[in-house]
């Protein structure tokens, strides 16, 4: 009985902190999730690890590219190990001709540089979220847009690289002749291929 009372007293004194996020606003989601350093992880890849949030399912890995699934939507995660190794800063200019465009920079208090761009096409939203030397792409309906941003922000903010493994991969020529596969952060104004990919996945 003493143990239970002691535990309850410790729980009441220490308490626990619950942070509620206003998920109705994209800026708030990004600011809150990316402002906190999170070292949780439950998925380990070759040279990196990250946290897959509740409600998101890991599907498959192709080299440094992971496919995830949530609520009828596929998420494509591209990990830029070479960019991490070279400490590459992400460059981006905000756009006025898309649904949402935001540059994420260290000057604004973010730990990493990156960007979030959302383009609307035929009642679907193409999300391109780059942060922490990784990129997530997905195509969702408007009703799933904020959840997609929330899930992507959690995943990207929790990516941790293993420098020793990446050094070993580079020494062994793991990336030799594969440069074209890792130019995933090059701006591509054509979203047609990604929209077509979603249609085939659903079938």
């Amino acid at each position: 009985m003493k143990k239970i009372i002691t535990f309850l007293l410790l729980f009441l004194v220490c308490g626990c902190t619950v942070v509620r996020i206003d998920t109705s606003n994209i800026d708030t989601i990004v600011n809150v999730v990316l402002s906190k350093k999170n070292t949780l992880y439950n998925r380990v890849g070759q040279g990196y690890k990250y946290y897959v949030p509740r409600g998101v399912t890991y599907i498959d890995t192709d080299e440094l590219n992971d496919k995830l699934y949530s609520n009828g939507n596929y998420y494509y995660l591209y990990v830029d190990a070479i960019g991490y190794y070279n400490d590459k800063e992400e460059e981006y200019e905000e756009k006025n001709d898309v649904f949402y465009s935001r540059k994420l920079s260290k000057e604004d208090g973010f730990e990493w540089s990156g960007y979030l761009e959302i383009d609307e096409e035929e009642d679907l939203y193409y999300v391109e979220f780059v942060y922490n030397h990784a990129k997530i792409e997905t195509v969702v309906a408007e009703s799933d847009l904020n959840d997609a941003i929330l899930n992507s922000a959690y995943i990207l903010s929790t990516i941790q690289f293993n420098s020793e493994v990446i050094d070993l991969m580079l020494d062994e020529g793991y990336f030799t002749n594969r440069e074209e596969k890792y130019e995933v952060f090059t701006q591509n104004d054509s979203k047609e291929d990604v929209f077509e990919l979603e249609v085939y996945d659903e079938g």
Side-chain angles (χ1 to χ4, degrees), residues 3-22:
K3 289 182 180 179
I4 294 173
I5 293 172
T6 304
F7 174 76
L8 289 174
L9 284 173
L10 283 172
F11 182 77
L12 290 173
V13 171
C14 297
C16 47
T17 305
V18 176
V19 177
R20 293 193 182 274
I21 300 174
D22 174 14

Side-chain angles (χ1 to χ4, degrees), residues 93-122:
E93 286 190 23
E94 294 183 352
K95 302 177 182 178
N96 295 319
D97 59 344
V98 295
F99 177 79
Y100 182 93
S101 176
R102 181 176 178 188
K103 179 179 181 179
L104 307 171
S105 65
K106 292 181 178 179
E107 291 80 25
D108 295 326
F110 295 105
E111 187 174 355
W112 305 100
S113 60
Y115 63 88
L116 172 58
E117 182 174 306
I118 305 169
D119 198 5
E120 182 182 7
E121 190 171 320
E122 298 179 6

Side-chain angles (χ1 to χ4, degrees), residues 35-62:
S35 68
K36 303 206 176 282
K37 186 154 181 79
N38 195 336
T39 57
L40 288 175
Y41 69 92
N42 54 13
R43 169 82 196 127
V44 178
Q46 191 165 8
Y48 64 96
K49 59 187 178 182
Y50 62 92
Y51 178 71
V52 179
R54 183 180 299 166
V56 178
T57 305
Y58 165 80
I59 301 290
D60 193 18
T61 296
D62 180 12

Side-chain angles (χ1 to χ4, degrees), residues 165-176:
V165 172
I166 292 171
D167 286 345
L168 184 61
M169 290 162 64
L170 289 169
D171 286 343
E172 291 180 350
Y174 183 86
F175 297 111
T176 303

